[in-house]
């Protein structure tokens, strides 16, 4: 069966520090991968998605970046965190096809920038 | 462009009450429709889905019917429990690599 792992679960980082969040998927090949952010009490904001190794699409210009160095690994990074980067970060995957499968989400990383 | 509109929350109900959370959509083509649930401090979980008009998705006592004529996919449950307290997201997918999510509706169920 397919599983998705996301870590760390909680992170407190000072302003200006770097960030690296990792997400891995098991039990499937060539998944579509997604990074979302959810501000407190708000909906989901799509940050990045990837349909293959090295292929990253950015939805929102910001100081975050994403990389996909391996088929089932998706990394969210920042060189210098801002206070506004605080939030709940969610990784998700879906099969390349069919598109009506739906998403499977990780358990999330709660990031607090202080 | 494609969009999803959900009723604003929070929705507060007593245990065993009937639940309806409204969801309407705008989309070109023939989207698949989804409901996701997010319990406090957790990621989203797929609750149910429907892939074509008149399909009914159901799971854990929740159900929703894909109504093309009214472009709606309302979530219903006949008798809610305290454990159903969560945020519910309606979503659509037209196959363009991205799912469109609604803003979410928070449900509180009182004992």
């Amino acid at each position: 069966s397919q599983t998705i792992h996301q870590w760390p679960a909680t992170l407190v980082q000072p302003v200006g520090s770097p960030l690296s969040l990792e997400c891995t998927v098991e039990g499937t090949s060539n998944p579509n991968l997604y990074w979302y952010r959810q501000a407190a009490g708000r909906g989901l904001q799509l940050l990045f998605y990837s349909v293959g190794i090295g292929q990253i699409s950015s939805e929102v210009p910001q100081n975050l970046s994403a990389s996909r160095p391996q088929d089932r690994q998706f990394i969210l990074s920042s060189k210098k965190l801002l206070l506004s980067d605080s939030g709940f970060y969610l990784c998700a995957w879906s099969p390349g096809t069919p598109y009506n499968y739906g998403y499977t989400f990780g358990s999330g990383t709660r990031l607090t920038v202080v | 462009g494609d969009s999803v509109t959900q009723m604003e929350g929070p929705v507060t109900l007593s245990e065993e009450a009937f639940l309806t959370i409204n969801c309407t959509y705008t989309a070109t083509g023939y989207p698949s429709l989804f409901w996701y649930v997010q319990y406090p401090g957790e990621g989203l979980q797929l609750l149910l889905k429907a892939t074509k008009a008149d399909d009914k998705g159901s799971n854990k006592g929740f159900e929703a019917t894909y109504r093309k004529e009214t472009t709606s996919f309302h979530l219903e449950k006949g008798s809610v429990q305290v454990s159903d307290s969560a945020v519910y997201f309606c979503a659509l997918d037209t196959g363009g690599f991205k799912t469109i999510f609604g803003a979410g509706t928070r449900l509180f169920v009182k004992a």
Side-chain angles (χ1 to χ4, degrees):
Chain A
S1 64
Q2 302 94 351
T3 56
I4 179 169
H5 303 281
Q6 189 180 341
W7 68 91
T10 305
L11 196 57
V12 180
Q13 292 284 98
V15 169
S17 64
L19 173 73
S20 181
L21 302 181
E22 188 162 343
C23 172
T24 59
V25 180
E26 296 178 355
T28 188
S29 297
N30 197 31
N32 293 338
L33 296 172
Y34 308 85
W35 278 112
Y36 283 87
R37 178 169 60 200
Q38 188 176 29
R42 306 287 293 276
L44 297 167
Q45 179 185 34
L46 179 61
L47 301 176
F48 301 94
Y49 68 94
S50 172
V51 299
I53 296 174
Q55 301 178 60
I56 308 295
S57 296
S58 174
E59 290 294 297
V60 182
Q62 58 209 324
N63 69 321
L64 298 173
S65 62
S67 61
R68 185 170 176 173
Q70 300 180 42
D71 181 44
R72 289 166 289 180
Q73 183 185 29
F74 204 25
I75 298 172
L76 182 69
S77 303
S78 173
K79 292 182 179 178
K80 287 187 177 182
L81 284 169
L82 306 172
L83 286 174
S84 58
D85 292 323
S86 294
F88 192 49
Y89 288 81
L90 289 161
C91 181
W93 78 272
S94 68
T97 54
Y99 69 86
N100 56 12
Y101 185 87
Y103 286 10
T104 301
F105 283 84
S107 54
T109 295
R110 185 158 305 282
L111 171 67
T112 303
V113 183
V114 296
Chain B
D2 299 340
S3 66
V4 175
T5 302
Q6 291 181 236
M7 64 187 289
E8 285 194 27
V11 174
T12 303
L13 296 173
S14 297
E15 210 165 22
E16 300 184 3
F18 185 85
L19 169 71
T20 299
I21 299 178
N22 290 338
C23 171
T24 57
Y25 68 90
T26 302
T28 55
Y30 303 94
S32 291
L33 300 173
F34 306 85
W35 277 101
Y36 290 83
V37 59
Q38 184 179 31
Y39 298 104
E42 300 183 8
L44 279 71
Q45 301 174 26
L46 180 62
L47 181 59
L48 54 83
K49 69 177 182 181
T51 59
K52 60 183 187 297
D54 300 325
D55 267 3
K56 177 184 285 187
S58 62
N59 186 24
K60 298 181 181 179
F62 291 90
E63 58 182 34
T65 301
Y66 188 164
R67 302 284 189 200
K68 195 171 188 304
E69 63 276 13
T70 55
T71 62
S72 66
F73 192 54
H74 304 323
L75 182 68
E76 297 181 335
K77 187 176 185 183
S79 176
V80 293
Q81 306 299 313
V82 172
S83 57
D84 293 326
S85 297
V87 181
Y88 292 83
F89 292 90
C90 185
L92 70 83
D93 193 330
T94 57
F97 301 117
K98 289 185 288 184
T99 289
I100 307 298
F101 287 88
T105 302
R106 184 174 296 277
L107 170 66
F108 291 106
V109 180
K110 302 180 297 184

